[in-house]
Amino acid sequence: MSVISKKICLVGDFSVGKTSLIRRFVDRQFSDRYLSTVGVKISRKSVEVPAPEGTGNQQVQLIVWDIEGQTKFKAIAPSYLQGAKGAIIVADVTRSETIENLQQHLDLFFSVCPKGLAVIALNKLDLVSEEELEAQFKLVHFPEQPQVIAAHTTSAKTGKDVDEIFHKLAYNMLKIK
Ligand code: G3D
Ligand code: MG
């Protein structure tokens, strides 16, 4: 089976759980303690998804870029995003401002990668009740852009929907050149 490689970036406000989602997806673990490093960390992980054409599966090597230490979307350098075919845009359901900032992160990503695809991860689901989550959702208007292919509530702690967001992105990126 041939392998197709795709660069994807994790984007979102500081401390929403970008690194934790990658650790959960790539290393199968969650840790409350991280040493904050400065710079960019690149991880690789192969996933198998149904081939968009014909039958069988296609192996996709995701090259996952994680930026460290930024506080605001403005601080994300375009060079970090360049060449990415997809992004996981992350917000923290316990902090509404991180949800309000989703659109700005999307705009930045699409300005650098106009053909890219994005999945939204509303992370830290384990920290909120159903009622709190509903209250948060009333505050937000989710972007109705065709390139935003899905929005999931996730938890890097429990693993809820973590594989799903990466797989969904991998599968849909195969359809674009
Ligand atoms: P970032 O990479 O977006 O900056 P991190 O965010 O992955 O470093 O996570 C920031 C903090 O949130 C970390 O805690 C991490 O353990 C916690 N976190 C991330 N995802 C989840 C989640 O799904 N559930 C819960 N309960 N916590 C999460 P610390 O204490 O190290 O700041
Ligand atoms: Mg991080």
Short mmCIF file of all heavy atoms in Angstrom, two decimals, residues 8 17 38 48-51 79 87 98 113 117 124 134 148 154 156 160 165 170 172-173:
data_model
loop_
_atom_site.label_atom_id
_atom_site.label_comp_id
_atom_site.label_asym_id
_atom_site.label_seq_id
_atom_site.Cartn_x
_atom_site.Cartn_y
_atom_site.Cartn_z
N ILE A 8 -0.72 18.56 8.86
CA ILE A 8 -1.84 19.21 9.52
C ILE A 8 -1.32 20.03 10.71
O ILE A 8 -0.27 19.71 11.27
CB ILE A 8 -2.94 18.23 9.99
CG1 ILE A 8 -2.43 17.28 11.09
CG2 ILE A 8 -3.48 17.41 8.81
CD1 ILE A 8 -3.54 16.46 11.72
N GLY A 17 -5.68 22.85 24.85
CA GLY A 17 -5.46 21.40 24.82
C GLY A 17 -4.89 20.85 23.53
O GLY A 17 -5.00 19.65 23.25
N VAL A 38 9.45 25.82 23.88
CA VAL A 38 9.17 26.90 22.95
C VAL A 38 9.60 26.46 21.55
O VAL A 38 10.66 25.89 21.37
CB VAL A 38 9.91 28.19 23.36
CG1 VAL A 38 9.71 29.27 22.31
CG2 VAL A 38 9.39 28.67 24.70
N GLU A 48 -5.23 4.57 8.82
CA GLU A 48 -5.81 3.94 7.64
C GLU A 48 -7.26 4.37 7.52
O GLU A 48 -8.03 4.25 8.46
CB GLU A 48 -5.75 2.41 7.79
CG GLU A 48 -4.97 1.76 6.68
CD GLU A 48 -4.87 0.26 6.85
OE1 GLU A 48 -5.90 -0.41 6.66
OE2 GLU A 48 -3.78 -0.22 7.16
N VAL A 49 -7.59 4.91 6.36
CA VAL A 49 -8.96 5.36 6.15
C VAL A 49 -9.47 4.76 4.84
O VAL A 49 -8.67 4.37 3.99
CB VAL A 49 -9.05 6.91 6.09
CG1 VAL A 49 -8.70 7.53 7.43
CG2 VAL A 49 -8.18 7.49 5.00
N PRO A 50 -10.79 4.68 4.66
CA PRO A 50 -11.31 4.15 3.41
C PRO A 50 -10.82 5.00 2.23
O PRO A 50 -10.82 6.23 2.31
CB PRO A 50 -12.83 4.28 3.56
CG PRO A 50 -13.06 4.37 5.03
CD PRO A 50 -11.85 5.06 5.60
N ALA A 51 -10.37 4.36 1.18
CA ALA A 51 -9.92 5.09 0.00
C ALA A 51 -11.11 5.78 -0.65
O ALA A 51 -12.16 5.18 -0.81
CB ALA A 51 -9.25 4.14 -0.99
N SER A 79 4.31 30.98 8.40
CA SER A 79 5.22 29.89 8.00
C SER A 79 4.89 28.59 8.72
O SER A 79 5.18 27.50 8.22
CB SER A 79 6.66 30.29 8.26
OG SER A 79 6.84 30.57 9.63
N ALA A 87 -6.34 21.46 9.28
CA ALA A 87 -6.09 22.01 10.62
C ALA A 87 -7.16 21.51 11.57
O ALA A 87 -8.31 21.32 11.18
CB ALA A 87 -6.09 23.54 10.59
N THR A 98 -12.36 31.41 24.17
CA THR A 98 -11.61 30.56 23.23
C THR A 98 -12.53 30.07 22.11
O THR A 98 -12.07 29.80 21.00
CB THR A 98 -10.96 29.34 23.93
OG1 THR A 98 -11.97 28.43 24.38
CG2 THR A 98 -10.08 29.76 25.10
N CYS A 113 -3.79 28.90 3.83
CA CYS A 113 -4.08 27.63 3.14
C CYS A 113 -5.50 27.66 2.58
O CYS A 113 -6.41 27.05 3.15
CB CYS A 113 -3.95 26.45 4.09
SG CYS A 113 -2.43 26.42 5.01
N LEU A 117 -8.64 22.13 4.77
CA LEU A 117 -9.86 21.72 5.45
C LEU A 117 -9.64 21.85 6.95
O LEU A 117 -8.53 21.67 7.44
CB LEU A 117 -10.18 20.26 5.13
CG LEU A 117 -10.47 19.92 3.67
CD1 LEU A 117 -10.74 18.43 3.52
CD2 LEU A 117 -11.65 20.74 3.14
N LYS A 124 -11.98 19.54 26.29
CA LYS A 124 -12.17 19.52 27.75
C LYS A 124 -13.63 19.25 28.12
O LYS A 124 -14.13 19.75 29.13
CB LYS A 124 -11.66 20.80 28.43
CG LYS A 124 -10.21 21.15 28.07
CD LYS A 124 -9.58 22.14 29.01
CE LYS A 124 -8.23 22.62 28.48
NZ LYS A 124 -7.55 23.56 29.37
N GLU A 134 -24.52 23.32 26.97
CA GLU A 134 -25.61 23.94 26.19
C GLU A 134 -25.57 25.46 26.29
O GLU A 134 -25.80 26.17 25.32
CB GLU A 134 -26.97 23.42 26.67
CG GLU A 134 -27.37 22.16 25.94
CD GLU A 134 -28.68 21.59 26.45
OE1 GLU A 134 -29.58 22.38 26.79
OE2 GLU A 134 -28.76 20.35 26.50
N VAL A 148 -15.04 23.83 6.57
CA VAL A 148 -15.08 23.38 7.97
C VAL A 148 -15.94 22.12 7.97
O VAL A 148 -17.16 22.18 7.90
CB VAL A 148 -15.66 24.45 8.90
CG1 VAL A 148 -15.67 23.95 10.34
CG2 VAL A 148 -14.88 25.75 8.79
N THR A 154 -14.62 17.12 22.35
CA THR A 154 -13.53 16.16 22.58
C THR A 154 -13.05 16.23 24.02
O THR A 154 -13.33 17.21 24.74
CB THR A 154 -12.32 16.46 21.67
OG1 THR A 154 -11.83 17.77 21.98
CG2 THR A 154 -12.68 16.39 20.19
N ALA A 156 -9.18 15.31 25.65
CA ALA A 156 -7.86 14.68 25.60
C ALA A 156 -7.66 13.81 26.82
O ALA A 156 -6.85 12.89 26.81
CB ALA A 156 -6.77 15.75 25.52
N LYS A 160 -12.29 10.98 24.35
CA LYS A 160 -13.53 11.10 23.61
C LYS A 160 -13.34 11.83 22.27
O LYS A 160 -12.89 12.98 22.25
CB LYS A 160 -14.56 11.84 24.47
CG LYS A 160 -16.00 11.72 24.00
CD LYS A 160 -16.52 13.06 23.49
CE LYS A 160 -17.91 12.89 22.86
NZ LYS A 160 -18.18 13.93 21.86
N ILE A 165 -11.56 13.00 15.17
CA ILE A 165 -11.24 14.26 14.49
C ILE A 165 -10.05 14.09 13.54
O ILE A 165 -10.06 14.62 12.44
CB ILE A 165 -11.01 15.44 15.48
CG1 ILE A 165 -9.97 15.11 16.54
CG2 ILE A 165 -12.32 15.89 16.10
CD1 ILE A 165 -9.62 16.29 17.45
N ALA A 170 -8.16 13.23 7.97
CA ALA A 170 -7.34 12.42 7.04
C ALA A 170 -8.18 11.97 5.86
O ALA A 170 -7.77 12.09 4.69
CB ALA A 170 -6.75 11.22 7.78
N ASN A 172 -10.99 13.19 4.63
CA ASN A 172 -11.44 14.26 3.74
C ASN A 172 -10.30 14.92 2.97
O ASN A 172 -10.50 15.40 1.86
CB ASN A 172 -12.24 15.30 4.53
CG ASN A 172 -13.64 14.81 4.84
OD1 ASN A 172 -14.53 14.88 4.00
ND2 ASN A 172 -13.82 14.23 6.02
N MET A 173 -9.11 14.91 3.56
CA MET A 173 -7.96 15.51 2.85
C MET A 173 -7.58 14.69 1.62
O MET A 173 -7.01 15.24 0.68
CB MET A 173 -6.75 15.62 3.78
CG MET A 173 -6.89 16.75 4.78
SD MET A 173 -5.37 17.03 5.73
CE MET A 173 -5.06 15.42 6.41
#
